Amino acid sequence: MNQLKRIAMLTRLRSQNPNPKTELNYNNAFELLVAVTLSAQATDVSVNKATTKLFAVANTPDTIFALGEDGLKKYIRTIGLYNSKARHIIQACNILIKQHSSTVPENRDALESLPGVGRKTANVVLNTAFGWPTIAVDTHIFRVANRTKLAMGGNVDQVEKKLLKVIPKEFKVDVHHWLILHGRYICIARKPRCGACIIEDLCEFKDKIDI
C-alpha cells in the first residue's frame, strides 16, 4: 500500500471517530493497568463487569494488594485465566508499592518488568494513560493491518514496527484505537463487513464480502 492511500484511510477513520477511546472502563493509570492485564484472552465487556465491582472497593496498588490473591479472585473469577492474573496483579501491586510509591511509572522498562505486563500491555498504558504515540498490536490490529495491507508482517512485533514506520505523526496517538475498533466491529475475523466499511475502496484485501 502506498503512503497516499494510507493517509486517506487514516483520515477517514479519524473523521468517523475523531476522539477514539478504549472500551475498557478506568479512571486512572492504575485502573487501566489492571483492566488491560485482565483483558488478555477476555472481552472488554467481561472485564468491565468485574472491575466495576472490584474498583468500587479497591482501586489502588495498596488496596488491591490488601485483598490478597484469594480476595482478588472473588472479583475476577468470571474472567479467563483468573488464577494467574490474580497472582500477577498482586505481585505487580507489591512492586508498585515498594519501588514506585504506589504509582504507575511512565516508563516502558519499568512497566514491562511488572508481572503479567508485556509489550502490548505497556504500549496500551503508555498510549492511553500517558498519551505516548505507541501502537499496541493485538489480534484485531494484526488482522486489519495485514488484511488491508496497511502494514504487513508475520507477527505482532513486525506489524508494530511497520506501523510505527509508516503511520504519520499526526495519526500515531489514535491509530491504535481506530484499528482495534475497526477490527472488532467491521473487519471481523471470519466474515468482514466490507459493505459497511468506510475504507473499503482503499483496502487491498482481495476477497471482500459485501455484507
Side-chain angles (χ1 to χ4, degrees), residues 134-154:
T134 58
I135 302 173
V137 178
D138 68 349
T139 55
H140 294 302
I141 292 182
F142 181 78
R143 178 177 66 254
V144 172
N146 274 291
R147 183 182 275 169
T148 62
K149 295 184 172 54
L150 176 67
M152 301 181 69

Side-chain angles (χ1 to χ4, degrees), residues 14-55:
R14 180 174 61 186
S15 67
Q16 183 185 54
N17 188 1
N19 296 296
K21 306 293 182 184
T22 178
E23 293 188 320
L24 291 170
N25 294 334
Y26 74 100
N27 292 300
N28 53 55
F30 177 70
E31 288 187 359
L32 177 65
L33 176 64
V34 171
V36 177
T37 301
L38 291 174
S39 71
Q41 300 183 46
T43 66
D44 287 0
V45 172
S46 67
V47 172
N48 288 338
K49 286 181 179 179
T51 56
T52 295
K53 296 179 181 179
L54 171 63
F55 293 157

Side-chain angles (χ1 to χ4, degrees), residues 103-134:
T103 61
V104 175
E106 188 178 346
N107 177 282
R108 177 182 297 283
D109 291 339
L111 285 169
E112 291 188 25
S113 72
L114 297 173
V117 178
R119 183 174 181 85
K120 185 183 76 172
T121 297
N123 275 338
V124 172
V125 173
L126 291 171
N127 174 270
T128 304
F130 299 113
W132 285 31
T134 58

Side-chain angles (χ1 to χ4, degrees), residues 145-162:
N146 274 291
R147 183 182 275 169
T148 62
K149 295 184 172 54
L150 176 67
M152 301 181 69
N155 56 54
V156 293
D157 290 336
Q158 290 176 1
V159 170
E160 180 187 341
K161 289 178 182 177
K162 185 64 178 293

Side-chain angles (χ1 to χ4, degrees), residues 159-175:
V159 170
E160 180 187 341
K161 289 178 182 177
K162 185 64 178 293
L163 285 168
L164 288 171
K165 180 179 179 180
V166 302
I167 300 299
K169 182 178 179 180
E170 66 177 296
F171 300 109
K172 276 185 179 175
V173 171
D174 292 326
V175 68

Side-chain angles (χ1 to χ4, degrees), residues 70-111:
D70 290 338
L72 178 56
K73 287 177 186 178
K74 293 178 182 179
Y75 292 95
I76 66 171
R77 63 174 65 255
T78 56
I79 298 174
L81 306 175
Y82 73 91
N83 284 310
S84 61
K85 290 176 180 178
R87 182 173 66 255
H88 289 154
I89 290 171
I90 293 299
Q91 291 172 343
C93 286
N94 191 34
I95 293 172
L96 292 174
I97 293 166
K98 292 182 176 179
Q99 299 181 18
H100 301 286
S101 302
S102 297
T103 61
V104 175
E106 188 178 346
N107 177 282
R108 177 182 297 283
D109 291 339
L111 285 169

